[in-house]
Amino acid sequence: MSQALAKGDLDGLPNAAKRHLKGLTAASHASTLTWEELKKPMQDRAMHRRTLVLRVEELMVQSGLSLSHCIDHLIGSINAGTEKGLGVMNAAAELAQTSKGKKAPHKARLYDWVKRFRAMGVMGLVDAHKGRQREFYGWETQALKYWLQPTRPKAAIIAGWLEEEGWASATASRVQYFFKHLPETLNKEAPQRQGPHHYHQNHKPYVIRDNTVLPVGLIYTGDGHTCDVYIAHPVTGKPWRAEFTPWLDLRSHYPVGWYVSEAESGVNTLFSLSQAIVEHDHVPAAIYVDPGSGFKNRMMNNETTGFYARMGIEPLLALPGNARGKGLIEGFFNHFEEYVGKKFPTYCGHCRTDDELRALRGKVDKGTIKLPSFAEYFDAISNYMERYKTKHQDGLGCAPADLWAELERTALEMPAEAIIRPFMERTVQNWRVRLFNRRYQGDALKDYEGKLVMVQYNLHDLRQVAVFDLEHRWVCDAAIVNPVAAQTQSRIEELQQHRALKQKERHLRHIKEIEDRARPVISPEERIKTLTDIIEYTRLDTTEDDFNAKDCLFLGNESEEEATPKLNFRDCLD
């Protein structure tokens, strides 16, 4: 028996699901529809039938013949094309589209229309056959709530849940039929069922950007990528995955620069981008990157001392988690791993099976698979980048190098040393500035006491820094006054040591947690003390109750024990 929707049944469902359920209930109650609620095609067919019925009635009045004779006359005149009634031929032609090409309807059908019009008026001419109408059972709302869960339950399982809730009509076949005829927005690819992010990235239409309108060299795009190949670490020799940071011109797809390092950071971005600028003597107007820490940090983004601001580059940040927004660089990484990564036996990409991935590290540790060296992998990347420049691309209609040749350069006016060196704002105190727990002193800093200055440093050598005012005018070169003992002068190596120390601390905390979980709740000492407290005998205080233990317990000496007669079991048996 069909049931109507309750007022709060649709709470929590998307609008598409609400519309679908309301449509089901309306279809199951189609017999109660009024003329205004009918769809226009049904109204048009009813009005065409009314035109023919009224013409039959008119012929009966004019001729005085019977209904049967008038219907025969109308059919004959329509087929002969001699019918003069207003709109009759047009109505017959419209109805003939559903009558297998015949000019006039069948006599029995016309006779039925007349009878129904006389009984119910124009509503009697509405299509009586509305097709197979699915009954609304009432469990459809709850079934949709289960179906749209991100756990993605199967139809047969949902049928079992509904049966447990008391819906006897929710058989497996009915539930599967219901889900099979859902709209596309509610089927297996529904965003609620597979997750909004996956739906947005793989199914939802997106805006197609036309990069052909951009001049060559206007915008660079780049990103960091952890390579899917285990190689030997250049220092430790242990399995390691390098970080690859390339930069591509958005119009020509030309790789303007790239860098290989340990992990994505602002240092990698600075080195790779500055290398691309110096090599081609060209400064792009903007870069299109994701909002990761390697591209969005104080060293690169600061409005005063940041690398982008100093070079006049505008950073365009993509939406977080939107891979489609960076389609060029993401597609580049995919082709890179297919062409370069899969050449190596230590490839560890997601396309390998789980069994192979689990066994890969064991084979490397045993020496069954030899780790490629850093030099071998670096040469493979270098060869790929050179080939990529000259390889024809269908989307471009030529090779990237052919379009890059059209570059109109914006020449670099700063020396390469100044580009690679980052800036930081510092306050002068006691004629000194402090940077990375080091103090630098210069005679000219006495005129800037208590003021902000910009300190330019070399990542590879921190023995001396250059100091500039906020207008980027050189003040002095300040030398270090308190070198830190037992530490390298290279800032990069210091960062690596700091990271290794923090990693060691995390491992020690993890080991401590494992030991704490394995330790029993009650220690052996506490366990013995507890048992001692339980069996300890506490003597009663005899001073108040004048208690005499001899009255209850024999406390005689050895001589008294010997005088006590002994029990003989033979005496009991006699």
Side-chain angles (χ1 to χ4, degrees), residues 395-549:
L396 295 175
C398 60
D402 297 334
L403 275 179
W404 182 251
E406 303 175 3
L407 172 68
E408 296 182 3
R409 284 178 170 79
T410 301
L412 177 64
E413 300 176 355
M414 302 172 64
E417 294 79 4
I419 294 176
I420 298 176
R421 294 179 181 178
F423 278 84
M424 282 193 178
E425 284 187 353
R426 289 294 182 264
T427 302
V428 179
Q429 293 181 350
N430 299 326
W431 302 3
R432 297 172 181 173
V433 290
R434 186 169 181 173
L435 183 71
F436 303 133
N437 291 327
R438 297 169 173 83
R439 290 180 173 84
Y440 298 88
Q441 182 173 335
D443 293 338
L445 293 181
K446 62 183 178 181
D447 297 328
Y448 293 86
E449 183 67 25
K451 297 181 180 180
L452 277 176
V453 294
M454 295 188 298
V455 181
Q456 183 190 65
Y457 59 94
N458 184 355
L459 285 167
H460 294 282
D461 187 0
L462 293 175
R463 291 174 295 181
Q464 181 175 306
V465 297
V467 181
F468 296 79
D469 63 12
L470 298 183
E471 302 296 330
H472 290 271
R473 293 174 297 193
W474 179 81
V475 176
C476 67
D477 291 330
I480 192 169
V481 295
N482 58 337
V484 180
Q487 287 190 13
T488 176
Q489 296 296 331
S490 172
R491 174 59 178 163
I492 297 178
E493 294 180 6
E494 181 179 334
L495 291 173
Q496 292 173 342
Q497 294 176 3
H498 179 72
R499 181 179 59 188
L501 178 62
K502 294 299 181 182
Q503 186 177 13
K504 181 180 178 181
E505 291 177 357
R506 290 195 299 270
H507 282 299
L508 290 176
R509 287 197 298 268
H510 184 62
I511 294 173
K512 180 67 168 56
E513 181 182 351
I514 294 175
E515 293 175 349
D516 291 343
R517 290 178 180 274
R519 186 181 299 116
V521 179
I522 302 177
S523 63
E525 294 79 6
E526 295 174 339
R527 197 179 300 130
I528 294 174
K529 184 178 182 305
T530 302
L531 292 175
T532 303
D533 293 342
I534 293 175
I535 64 176
E536 182 180 10
Y537 176 76
T538 305
R539 296 183 179 276
L540 298 174
D541 188 0
T542 58
T543 57
E544 295 182 1
D545 299 333
D546 195 18
F547 175 74
N548 188 357

Side-chain angles (χ1 to χ4, degrees), residues 66-126:
S66 65
L67 175 61
S68 179
H69 283 85
C70 291
I71 291 177
D72 289 336
H73 176 75
L74 180 61
I75 292 176
S77 62
I78 291 176
N79 290 331
T82 59
E83 175 58 40
K84 302 299 183 181
L86 182 63
V88 174
M89 293 298 295
N90 181 46
E94 292 294 334
L95 294 174
Q97 296 178 1
T98 60
S99 301
K100 298 181 181 181
K102 296 180 181 179
K103 291 185 178 181
H106 193 271
K107 180 179 179 179
R109 183 169 295 178
L110 258 175
Y111 188 86
D112 181 60
W113 289 347
V114 173
K115 293 296 185 183
R116 287 163 54 186
F117 181 76
R118 291 175 177 177
M120 296 181 290
V122 70
M123 287 299 295
L125 301 178
V126 177

Side-chain angles (χ1 to χ4, degrees), residues 294-357:
F295 301 95
K296 187 179 179 181
N297 54 70
R298 185 175 298 177
M299 182 175 66
M300 304 299 294
N301 274 73
N302 189 279
E303 296 180 358
T304 304
T305 62
F307 180 79
Y308 303 145
R310 287 191 290 123
M311 299 302 300
I313 300 175
E314 181 180 354
L316 306 176
L317 302 180
L319 294 176
N322 182 25
R324 282 179 171 179
K326 303 189 281 39
L328 174 61
I329 195 68
E330 296 295 341
F332 173 84
F333 287 141
N334 182 58
H335 186 266
F336 167 77
E337 291 296 353
E338 290 286 335
Y339 198 86
V340 177
K342 291 187 177 181
K343 283 185 178 179
F344 295 91
T346 55
Y347 175 75
C348 57
H350 295 294
C351 57
R352 293 191 70 155
T353 62
D354 292 342
D355 293 339
E356 290 176 337
L357 284 176

Side-chain angles (χ1 to χ4, degrees), residues 191-211:
Q192 295 83 1
R193 188 171 170 85
Q194 60 181 323
H197 178 72
H198 182 271
Y199 177 80
H200 177 75
Q201 293 294 315
N202 296 277
H203 300 279
K204 187 177 180 180
Y206 61 96
V207 178
I208 301 176
R209 305 291 182 182
D210 183 13
N211 294 330

Side-chain angles (χ1 to χ4, degrees), residues 132 134-135 137-140 143 154-180:
R132 181 180 178 183
R134 182 191 175 279
E135 184 178 359
Y137 297 98
W139 45 258
E140 288 83 355
K154 297 181 179 179
I157 301 301
I158 295 177
W161 293 344
L162 295 173
E163 186 179 357
E164 289 180 354
E165 295 176 5
W167 297 98
S169 59
T171 61
S173 59
R174 285 174 178 169
V175 174
Q176 289 174 350
Y177 180 86
F178 171 68
F179 290 141
K180 184 179 179 181

